[in-house]
């Protein structure tokens, strides 16, 4: 499997601007700038995209782990938070925290918890990162 994304940048580092495009076209000339990365201006940034990718990848891995136990979730919602800390003039990603809420009627907590932990170490992005990944998961009755 190969997937592609591309970035185009025009201008100087702080004043310039860029666009991102994904192979699927879901991202199509999506804007990013210095301000969208460091000052919370509109547009996306690499850390936001990394968080989104981790949330998607983990959610699918959890669904697969649950399925292997014969459990079918109604829904799984994951929010990923990327933590970056200043390190020698720039930022370094130091961790990702996943907040997971799953709606799975009748599932035993032990089965759910085992799937949560197995998914944490098995999804594609987790096996290719060097930083710490933490997970907080809860079952929802709604």
């Amino acid at each position: 499997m190969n997937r592609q994304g591309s970035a185009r940048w025009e201008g100087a580092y702080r004043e310039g601007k860029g666009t991102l495009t994904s192979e699927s076209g879901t991202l199509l000339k999506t804007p990013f700038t210095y301000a969208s990365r460091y000052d919370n201006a509109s547009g996306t940034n690499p850390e936001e995209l990394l968080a989104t990718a981790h949330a998607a990848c983990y959610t699918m891995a959890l669904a697969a782990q649950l399925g292997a136990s014969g459990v079918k979730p109604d829904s799984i919602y994951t929010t990923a938070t990327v933590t970056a800390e200043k390190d020698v003039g720039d930022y370094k990603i130091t961790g990702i925290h996943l907040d997971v809420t799953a709606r799975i009627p009748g599932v035993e907590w032990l089965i759910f918890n085992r799937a949560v932990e197995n998914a944490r170490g098995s999804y594609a992005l987790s096996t290719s990162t060097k930083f710490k990944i933490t997970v907080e998961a809860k079952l929802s009755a709604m």
Side-chain angles (χ1 to χ4, degrees), residues 68-126:
S69 297
V71 175
K72 182 180 175 187
D74 283 353
S75 64
I76 302 170
Y77 180 79
T78 305
T79 300
T81 302
V82 170
T83 300
E85 298 177 9
K86 196 98 164 163
D87 182 41
V88 191
D90 206 353
Y91 286 87
K92 177 181 177 182
I93 294 173
T94 57
I96 291 188
H97 179 74
L98 303 167
D99 278 307
V100 182
T101 301
R103 182 168 183 248
I104 313 169
V107 72
E108 293 179 31
W109 174 252
L110 184 62
I111 291 171
F112 175 67
N113 196 46
R114 187 177 315 126
V116 164
E117 283 306 308
N118 288 342
R120 184 170 65 91
S122 70
Y123 70 99
L125 290 177
S126 73

Side-chain angles (χ1 to χ4, degrees), residues 21-39:
T21 299
S22 61
E23 179 180 24
S24 68
T26 300
L27 298 175
L28 184 60
K29 297 183 180 178
T30 302
F32 72 106
T33 63
Y34 178 92
S36 68
R37 187 171 194 187
Y38 297 107
D39 299 332

